[in-house]
Amino acid sequence: MKYVSTRGRTDPVPFKDAVIMGLATDGGLLVPQFIPDVGNKLNRWSSLAYGELAFEIIRLFADDIPENDLRRLINASYSTFADSRVTPIKKAGDLYILELFHGPTLSFKDVALQLLGNLFEYILAERDQSLNILGATSGDTGSAAIAGVRGRKNIDIFIMFPEGKTSPIQERQMTSVLDANIHNLGIDGSFDDCQYLLKSIFSDLEFKEKYQLGAVNSVNWARVLAQIVYYFSSWYQLDMPARFDVCVPTGNFGNIFAAYLARRMGLPINRLILATNANDVLSVFFNTGRYARGDVRFSHSPAMDIQVASNFERYMYFRFGESGEKVREFMDAFNKSGKAQIHLNTPEVDVLFRASSATDAETVECIRTTFNSFGYLADPHTAVGLHVAGKYIQKDIPMLCMATAHPAKFPEVVQQALPDTWIGHESLDLLKDMPTRKENLRADIDAVKNFIISHQRISD
Ligand SMILES: *Cc1c(COP(=O)(O)O)cnc(C)c1O
């Protein structure tokens, strides 16, 4: 399998290069040259354990890693999960809930970042190379990425987060990791500022080359790839229904894009239901065709406080019939004026999507009623999805909602919904007394570059 850029101006590269490269050199995102059809394999895979299923799917996209090595990397990645099914399904009333948060940092990001950490180490060792990972996080990516690469010899990681805008627990999950290769950067700005810094620094190809920058954000193809697996796993857990709907609380469009790919590979997903908080750029897009960024609105589901979803470009690429030229036109218009418009429903694709949003008040209310009616305690991100799923559920079609974080990560919102319920988690309780380390920087490209230059360990 080879990977090409959504903007059509790079030569095809194999999987391992795509993992190390992160963003494509023309500023686009890497996508597979074709999407394999696994329809005729679905029955054969029905009794596989998660790791085996992951191996069968991932090897189709990562055919430049010997099978035994790939198997070992995958098994190591999912042995850190607290549930043997890795992503188990629970039920709350008529809704099925796929719990994606049983990894080390209690958010769904671990599913991808545990694997990415192992892939990085494997590829770098093979090439005798080092990597400086630069990432931006609104909370969960940072801690999951840090957990994926802490203590690894040939990797330094620099994580930018919007100072004061991640939850205190999320911040501690990052800053309490004191390994020498971990660098936490509290940026004076919003998450979109952090994403902008990230994109700008990556687009400086000279700098990227010289300091061997790598990406862990959902721009990295391996993350999307790892996330495809649990959609297949969930279908088997549901006993292979003729079709099912999935509802995904969405920020950077990574999780739901993985569902889109799983569907294109032949998994019988019926509709893709996209749920946003007050940052409803994508919800507006799928209802009107208008794609326009506004100012970030801070919500109870901070991992989704995003106006410009980095993975959306991958969807647009397939939406435009894999035309890099059309993606370039669309992104140029959007980058110049902050908005772009397309006509919906011309090719077959958009009709698969339904989209709606939940306010903070609806999120809190959903946490309360889901718990009081069904005894299921959802975190605020999950609750955004549950609220929206309720609008679209149909008789006789299972509705599978993604649970993207453990509720103990967001105790303030849970308390607001259920004042008498305290939810904790032992791994989070342990953080309270741990020493922490971080650096505060302005939202300025040179400030971040200079920090990297003075703290990275690659010699000239
Ligand atoms: C990252 C994250 C999301 C958003 O996922 P995307 O792939 O960016 O759409 C939702 N919920 C939680 C808890 C997250 O950490």
Side-chain angles (χ1 to χ4, degrees), residues 396-414:
D396 301 330
I397 300 181
M399 171 71 79
L400 183 75
C401 300
M402 301 300 124
T404 51
H406 192 288
K409 282 193 97 163
F410 302 94
E412 296 85 1
V413 184
V414 172

Side-chain angles (χ1 to χ4, degrees), residues 157-168:
I157 185 167
F158 300 83
I159 293 289
M160 300 180 279
F161 62 89
E163 175 67 37
K165 293 179 187 104
T166 61
S167 83

Side-chain angles (χ1 to χ4, degrees), residues 107-109 138-141 170 218 223 227 248-256 303-304 306 311 379 381-382 404-405 410:
S107 87
F108 96 100
K109 304 288 197 292
S138 57
D140 291 330
T141 301
Q170 286 177 318
S218 49
R223 284 193 51 186
Q227 291 168 185
V248 188
T250 297
N252 256 324
F253 206 77
N255 198 352
I256 196 163
M304 295 154 59
I306 291 166
N311 258 296
D379 101 289
H381 305 79
T382 306
T404 51
F410 302 94

